[in-house]
Amino acid sequence: MAQVRPGTLLERWAERRPTSAALSQRAQKVFPSGVTHDSRYMEPFPIYVTHAQGSRKWDVDGNEYVDYWSGHGALLLGHNHPAVCEATVEQAKKGTHYGACHELEIEWGELVQQIVPSAEKVKFFSSGTEATMMAMRLARAFTGKDKILKIQGHFHGWHDYATIAMSPPYDEPISKGIPKAIKETMVAVPFKDVAALRAALDANPDVAGVIMLAGGAGTEYLQQVRDITRERGVILIYDEVVTGFRYAPGGCQEYYGVVPDLTTMAKILAGGLPGGAIGGRADILSLFDFRDDPQWMRFGRINHPGTFNANPLSAAAGVACLKIVRDGATQRKATGTADRLRAEFDAVLQRRGVKGEIGGEVSLLAISFPEAKLKGRSFTHRFRMAMQVGGVDFNGASMIVSAVHSDADVARTVEAFDQAITLLQDDGAL
Ligand SMILES: Cc1ncc(COP(=O)(O)O)c(C=O)c1O
């Protein structure tokens, strides 16, 4: 645990969070490094939250935060949106798992079909990780080829294939415990580099599919990738786990107007509960079909169990959420708020003469300080801490804006940002 020196940002932050400190001590005895998700790890300890509502959440010491984690991006409608909350609570009373088909799963799938341009057919999973893993398998099964091409640095969850080319050096997985053979099934190229993509596909005729994040890609590049993959019979997968239902109701494919063969979804899809999906070409998803053909059943199809696939609780939340987000107003509202935050943050930086980059697209806002004295995690933890002192929580590098962040939230956030600059400067971090 970092030393708490008197008068420092750390001291100011820690003295208001004694109960979180104590819970963290308890957590250390249960969980490795005390946390249950890598991004919740924070030095010297993370905050522990008791409840949340709308755009706000409260920690065990009674501190209130404007929340820009937004459920890791799942909560475009904020915490406990009344319609989603009511649908979930009502469903919980009727049962959380029937071990059977149910009408809500059909409604949920139909909504995905209506909203997401590529979704001729749909399959549900329990998470985004499961969806991207299965999308890769679908591409491999459909083409009979083994390799998947991904973009360097693009995150697709935590399964073995997704650990490849995540951070430099790109030829080393981001995690220990990945079989060498996995690496040989993956090829990676830089983002927005069409020549590199073409060269990699030339050198690897056994590429089954290209998986990528389409956010920030721009229509021209996406169209080029679409054309190149189509020419070669390579399956194009957009991972829209974050961007789906956020960039536009139909995600990046609607926003940029370029449609992939397969789309992976999660987060907003399930209205804040666990859930993932693939939407895509009917001929590709027919690999899940049951047929009266033993040869097909044993050697032709993809099997797909999964205890919590389309469970009634997630389906209820998902249906309630998608019915609200399908008309585009929520996305426009969230984007408008993010644009205001961008402008206000820029004004703070200008006024203070601090070099910073405020970017990101739509309702995803990215903040970085190229000349910060602390780097990497050391800086993001301090930045997070400084914003928490001002009553704002985020991951230290990006803010996920919801449709329920208000004018008062913007005002508090800008004030916290202004104060955070001073705190970070005084602390020697900036
Ligand atoms: C783009 C992207 N793909 C996949 C995933 C994995 O989703 P999950 O955390 O639901 O497994 C994430 C998670 O944040 C993600 O951001």
Side-chain angles (χ1 to χ4, degrees), residues 66-383:
V66 180
D67 180 31
Y68 292 100
W69 278 89
S70 298
H72 293 223
L75 302 174
L76 180 62
L77 303 177
H79 296 280
N80 315 332
H81 184 284
V84 179
C85 193
E86 192 190 328
T88 312
V89 169
E90 286 310 308
Q91 183 56 47
K93 291 182 200 159
K94 291 190 236 165
T96 57
H97 200 306
Y98 303 138
C101 302
H102 55 97
E103 191 172 345
L104 267 180
E105 69 186 7
I106 307 175
E107 201 180 346
W108 197 16
E110 286 170 346
L111 280 162
V112 174
Q113 264 180 336
Q114 288 156 19
I115 299 170
V116 180
S118 62
E120 289 173 14
K121 278 281 175 84
V122 178
K123 262 284 191 186
F124 285 114
F125 306 86
S126 289
S127 68
T129 293
E130 287 182 31
T132 62
M133 185 165 63
M134 182 59 93
M136 293 184 189
R137 185 180 297 177
L138 276 166
R140 290 178 164 123
F142 191 76
T143 59
K145 296 177 176 176
D146 270 354
K147 286 187 184 159
I148 297 292
L149 185 146
K150 79 183 285 279
I151 307 293
Q152 289 169 353
H154 280 194
F155 177 64
H156 302 297
W158 60 264
H159 57 76
D160 287 359
Y161 302 110
T163 65
I164 309 294
M166 256 308 297
S167 70
Y170 289 120
D171 56 355
E172 278 304 314
I174 198 169
S175 171
K176 285 287 274 185
I178 309 301
K180 279 195 196 68
I182 295 284
K183 213 162 90 177
E184 278 140 36
T185 69
M186 300 295 292
V187 182
V189 298
F191 193 39
K192 295 199 191 180
D193 187 338
V194 175
L197 172 67
R198 230 185 262 283
L201 291 176
D202 285 343
N204 297 277
D206 49 348
V207 166
V210 168
I211 187 165
M212 63 184 296
L213 304 178
T219 300
E220 190 187 339
Y221 169 65
L222 289 178
Q223 191 57 57
Q224 285 171 316
V225 176
R226 178 65 283 186
D227 293 343
I228 293 167
T229 49
R230 189 172 280 136
E231 270 161 28
R232 295 166 193 245
V234 170
I235 304 302
L236 178 59
I237 307 161
Y238 285 175
D239 179 357
E240 296 234 43
V241 165
V242 169
T243 57
F245 314 102
R246 179 173 288 280
Y247 267 61
C252 281
Q253 53 205 272
E254 179 184 334
Y255 185 81
Y256 293 117
V258 183
V259 177
D261 299 304
L262 297 175
T263 303
T264 57
M265 291 159 262
K267 301 195 192 266
I268 297 169
L269 168 82
L273 266 71
I278 291 177
R281 273 170 44 189
D283 57 342
I284 302 177
L285 268 77
S286 72
L287 279 159
F288 292 118
D289 281 351
F290 280 76
R291 288 187 199 164
D292 198 10
D293 170 359
Q295 184 70 15
W296 166 261
M297 291 305 293
R298 179 63 187 86
F299 302 108
R301 78 182 287 270
I302 292 178
N303 69 328
H304 178 226
T307 301
F308 290 104
N309 296 344
N311 69 82
L313 210 54
S314 295
V319 166
C321 177
L322 295 190
K323 279 183 177 167
I324 296 168
V325 304
R326 68 177 154 187
D327 77 354
T330 48
Q331 292 83 358
R332 282 193 295 278
K333 167 81 172 30
T335 297
T337 307
D339 286 342
R340 275 174 49 216
L341 284 169
R342 284 186 190 99
E344 300 263 12
F345 287 170
D346 266 330
V348 169
L349 295 177
Q350 293 264 334
R351 184 161 43 76
R352 291 174 157 273
V354 172
K355 197 159 175 207
E357 284 164 15
I358 311 294
E361 252 183 353
V362 298
S363 49
L364 304 171
L365 190 156
I367 309 169
S368 60
F369 294 94
E371 291 173 0
K373 298 200 177 78
L374 290 180
K375 301 287 173 204
R377 205 174 69 203
S378 313
F379 181 78
T380 52
H381 285 186
R382 281 304 154 101
F383 189 16

Side-chain angles (χ1 to χ4, degrees), residues 4-65:
V4 182
R5 283 183 290 112
T8 58
L9 164 61
L10 190 51
E11 187 193 45
R12 188 166 165 187
W13 176 85
E15 70 188 6
R16 292 280 309 270
R17 290 163 182 82
T19 320
S20 280
L23 285 177
S24 154
Q25 293 293 318
R26 220 173 111 197
Q28 303 277 350
K29 299 192 183 106
V30 192
F31 311 122
S33 286
V35 291
T36 54
H37 186 298
D38 279 1
S39 63
R40 289 175 208 149
Y41 178 77
M42 185 162 156
E43 290 280 356
F45 55 84
I47 56 162
Y48 285 79
V49 170
T50 53
H51 61 291
Q53 184 61 48
S55 59
R56 307 257 169 148
K57 68 187 183 193
W58 289 264
D59 72 18
V60 281
D61 293 294
N63 299 298
E64 182 186 89
Y65 304 93

